[in-house]
Amino acid sequence: MGETGPVNTPIRLGTRASALATTQSGMVARRIEELTGRPVELVHVRTEGDVRTGSLASLGGTGVFVAALRDALLEGRCDVAVHSLKDLPTAAVEGLTIVTPEREDPRDALCARDGLTLETLPRGARVGTGSPRRAAQIRATRPDLDVVDIRGNVDTRLNRALGPDADLDAVVLAWSGLARLGRTDAVTDALDPAVVAPAPGQGALAVEARTADLASGPLAEAFAGLDHRPTRLAVIAERSVLARLEAGCAAPVGALARVEEGRLLLDAVVARTDGTEKLKHRSAIALTHDDAADDDAARALGVRVAEALLADGAERLAPLGSAAVLPAPGEPVDPTEAGAPGS
């Protein structure tokens, strides 16, 4: 696309067609319009994760919501794509670059009947989630609960617990997706990350374009405007944990980093799927005002935390698979697939 197209030529933004995906993409589209002065049109792309049924892990898990959007970018059917960052592989796709806007609240949220919380759910209560990470940590905290694997969009899952034909007592979703859809009224318990650590990158979006289109021009300026430094540093560290552990969506791995008072703090957890054992590690680094140096330091922080978890026996607890190389937001990336459910 570059800077040669007419000012009124729309920028085509690829998105999944779900309510959450189009809401997230609409937010990004409006911001790109502000930054470029160009109209943005949404292009719906159907992904493997939208077509196939079954648990995310049984679908091969990682990347089922991402590959078709990346194909559309590489084939020129769209100019920009928006992903939930936690869906993205930790390995890269040659010719594509991502940027991370400011993150929404990364916590998980319990949506339960009768205003119940994780602590007040009765023994034997049925809790639905499609995430092995959430399931493992909920079992670790409340081994007396019946954790049920579920799939479906946000409304489908909420109805399983809160609808007229509810067959569950509660479901767990990402706060960020509920917030973007205006559905935080359904939340009865925002889960403390010390109890249920979020997925690496949860609450953040990844905006992706062809690297060649970012050499100069309005889209390059838009990507610079979309970049949020604290979010970028946090998700680099979190995804570096995932990459070093060689973990995909079937591994119960949580990580959360944040910038506080000039430092980047990182907490990570690996749990046994049945919740009977959990390992945690925390570390921090001082930040400078050098973006490249701080990106490298954030990546190294994630590696250090992951290696501490491995030294403590993480491989005994979780399915840790083939190696993956971490793409830094804002840097070119190469093709593979990894990730986790988008909401």
Side-chain angles (χ1 to χ4, degrees):
M1 189 179 71
E3 60 182 332
T4 57
V7 172
N8 62 350
T9 300
I11 296 170
R12 299 162 300 161
L13 189 152
T15 177
R16 294 173 58 208
S18 73
L20 177 57
T22 54
T23 298
Q24 293 177 162
S25 296
M27 293 165 52
V28 173
R30 289 188 291 275
R31 184 64 180 138
I32 291 175
E33 287 177 338
E34 292 171 1
L35 291 166
T36 64
R38 303 266 293 265
V40 177
E41 65 178 21
L42 298 187
V43 177
H44 289 170
V45 177
R46 204 166 188 202
T47 75
E48 187 178 6
D50 298 314
V51 176
R52 297 175 62 188
T53 60
S55 71
L56 191 73
S58 73
L59 298 184
T62 59
V64 296
F65 299 121
V66 173
L69 283 167
R70 286 184 154 171
D71 286 345
L73 266 179
L74 291 168
E75 293 166 7
R77 290 181 279 124
C78 62
D79 306 302
V80 180
V82 176
H83 314 277
S84 290
L85 183 61
K86 68 176 183 175
D87 289 344
L88 275 189
T90 53
V93 178
E94 186 178 357
L96 299 180
T97 293
I98 65 172
V99 70
T100 49
E102 185 172 3
R103 183 184 215 168
E104 178 59 84
D105 189 325
R107 291 176 296 175
D108 284 310
L110 185 85
C111 304
R113 63 173 177 83
D114 305 326
L116 293 167
T117 66
L118 185 59
E119 184 178 354
T120 61
L121 282 167
R123 290 178 62 86
R126 287 164 51 83
V127 179
T129 176
S131 161
R133 170 191 57 81
R134 291 172 181 149
Q137 294 182 87
I138 290 168
R139 289 182 180 121
T141 301
R142 289 289 311 271
D144 58 313
L145 299 179
D146 180 13
V147 181
V148 179
D149 186 67
I150 61 171
R151 282 288 313 273
N153 62 30
V154 170
D155 284 334
T156 298
R157 284 181 278 174
L158 286 176
N159 284 335
R160 294 285 300 272
L162 306 178
D165 300 315
D167 62 328
L168 301 174
D169 296 289
V171 292
V172 184
L173 300 91
W175 175 284
S176 56
L178 294 167
R180 289 169 182 143
L181 290 171
R183 297 300 308 274
T184 54
D185 60 305
V187 177
T188 58
D189 192 7
L191 300 179
D192 186 337
V195 177
V196 179
Q202 185 160 300
L205 299 178
V207 184
E208 191 165 41
R210 292 178 294 273
T211 305
D213 290 343
L214 299 175
S216 63
L219 197 55
E221 294 171 9
F223 265 50
L226 286 168
D227 176 63
H228 184 250
R229 183 175 182 271
T231 296
R232 185 183 76 242
L233 293 171
V235 301
I236 287 174
E238 293 164 17
R239 284 164 58 78
S240 183
V241 171
L242 201 63
R244 178 62 187 89
L245 292 177
E246 302 173 2
C249 72
V253 174
L256 181 61
R258 64 257 181 227
V259 174
E260 291 182 4
E261 298 178 347
R263 301 169 72 219
L264 180 65
L265 296 83
L266 173 63
D267 289 276
V269 60
V270 178
R272 195 183 291 279
T273 307
D274 63 8
T276 57
E277 192 174 356
K278 187 162 67 170
L279 295 172
K280 293 184 176 183
H281 193 76
R282 169 179 288 183
S283 191
I285 56 169
L287 295 172
T288 69
H289 296 292
D290 183 321
D291 277 353
D294 284 341
D295 285 359
D296 288 343
R299 191 175 296 106
L301 175 64
V303 170
R304 185 166 73 245
V305 167
E307 288 180 344
L309 290 167
L310 289 168
D312 288 342
E315 288 176 305
R316 292 186 298 103
L317 307 188
L320 304 179
S322 59
V325 178
L326 177 72
E331 302 242 328
V333 289
D334 280 314
T336 72
E337 304 198 342
S343 57

